[in-house]
Amino acid sequence: MNCPHAAARDAASNGGAVVIDPMVQDLDAETARLRDAGPLARIELLGVPALTVTRHALARQLLVDPRLVKDLDAWGLWQRGEVTHEWPLIGMIDAGRSMFTVDGAEHRRLRTKTSQALTPRRLEEIRPAIEKFTGELLDALAEEGEKSEDGVVDLKSVFAQPLPMRVVGMLMGVDEAEHPMLMKRYKAFFSMLTPQEERLALLAELDVFYAALVREKTARPTDDLTSALILAEEGGEPLTEEEVVGNLKAMVAAGHETTIGLILNAVRALLTHPDQLRKVLDGEIPWETVIEETLRWDTPTTHLLMRFATEDIQVGDDVIAKGEGVVISYRAIGRDIEQHGTDADAFDITRPSPIRHMTFGHGPHICPGAALSRVEARIALSALFGRFPGLRAAVADDEIRKLPVMTQNDMAAFPVLLHG
Ligand code: STR
């Protein structure tokens, strides 16, 4: 791997920190190690030390603590030049000025318009479009199935990946012709196999693309959220071009990558728990429950990078020192026994609801796209199983490969048979 920070060090030489493996395949083992390391665990990310939160209750507390900020300049390692743009995960933090990277009153200014556009009520307006995309992609799936000699199709590339791209593309006003380019670039952005120079280059190309789109929408506003962000004036200062670009790329990256994981992980969980799938298909348990349990049990985001302490923060007997970086390990939080019971590691849609997971975060930065992803997943799953009730995996579960991605939980492909 082309990565200067990836010096493999064992636990003894780094003060007992859990070394997060960029090529991780066994996420359950990693999650268990983190859970065992305590509520606030020391980790190492490609040679860079950080703390991570592995418990629901502590995350709930720290995610509303104003002493933890998103501003990269508050990071001691960054100030001292010990972390630079050579670090492969820097793109997860240094993502331009947007609602993802700013706190406080400025954050509200950057975020309000987007969250207003994504309320459940507003989303009812785009439901028919999501249903139409879903139907078209299911036709494509059926066609692929007929063309394929052994009947095997990749549920990811034909269905679960293009659907969120189309939805977020429509919402933000990104032409369909650009979707393959965007999907290809984001795949390379997240992959740990991509050399860092290549990742920096593709991010620069994306910035050029988004800036051109924002200029076009400034000249000719249309009925999309990008235009609304440009025109927004209520609540003070209008957003700058840089801020609109930042929000736009955050929306496209987040809306696309995380929803793929949600849809695929739900299908996989149901296919490996056929007794539970039966209950859903018989109408005993609603799709909403499947979605919430999937969000808890197999989170699309494994680790969220990063917040920085602006002063020392006492946490039990431990201290987050001023300048230290704090990650939130959402997968470990979803498997927290104190929150979800001793059977937290089991996928069980019959557990007492509501399932109080924290997969969309908490506090001011709570995912503004949560309702959108739920609507998308609800439509996608019910339509998929409605059309192909005999759907099954074409390979054994342990043959499904995870993408080599450190922060996200996404499959390389999901080969399925459509007709049992
Ligand atoms: C990817 C690169 C980019 O250009 C902009 C962003 C900002 C939003 C980030 C996104 C990133 C990575 C995936 C994130 C998303 C917000 C939600 C999503 C972290 C850094 C999650 O995985 C929860």
Side-chain angles (χ1 to χ4, degrees), residues 51-63:
L51 289 161
T52 194
V53 183
T54 72
R55 296 292 193 279
H56 186 100
L58 182 59
R60 215 181 146 78
Q61 175 192 325
L62 291 177
L63 285 170

Side-chain angles (χ1 to χ4, degrees), residues 91-92 95 100 189-190 249-250 253-254 258 301 304 408:
M92 294 298 298
F100 183 69
F189 167 75
F190 286 108
K249 64 186 187 184
T258 52
T301 301
L304 192 122
Q408 316 298 123

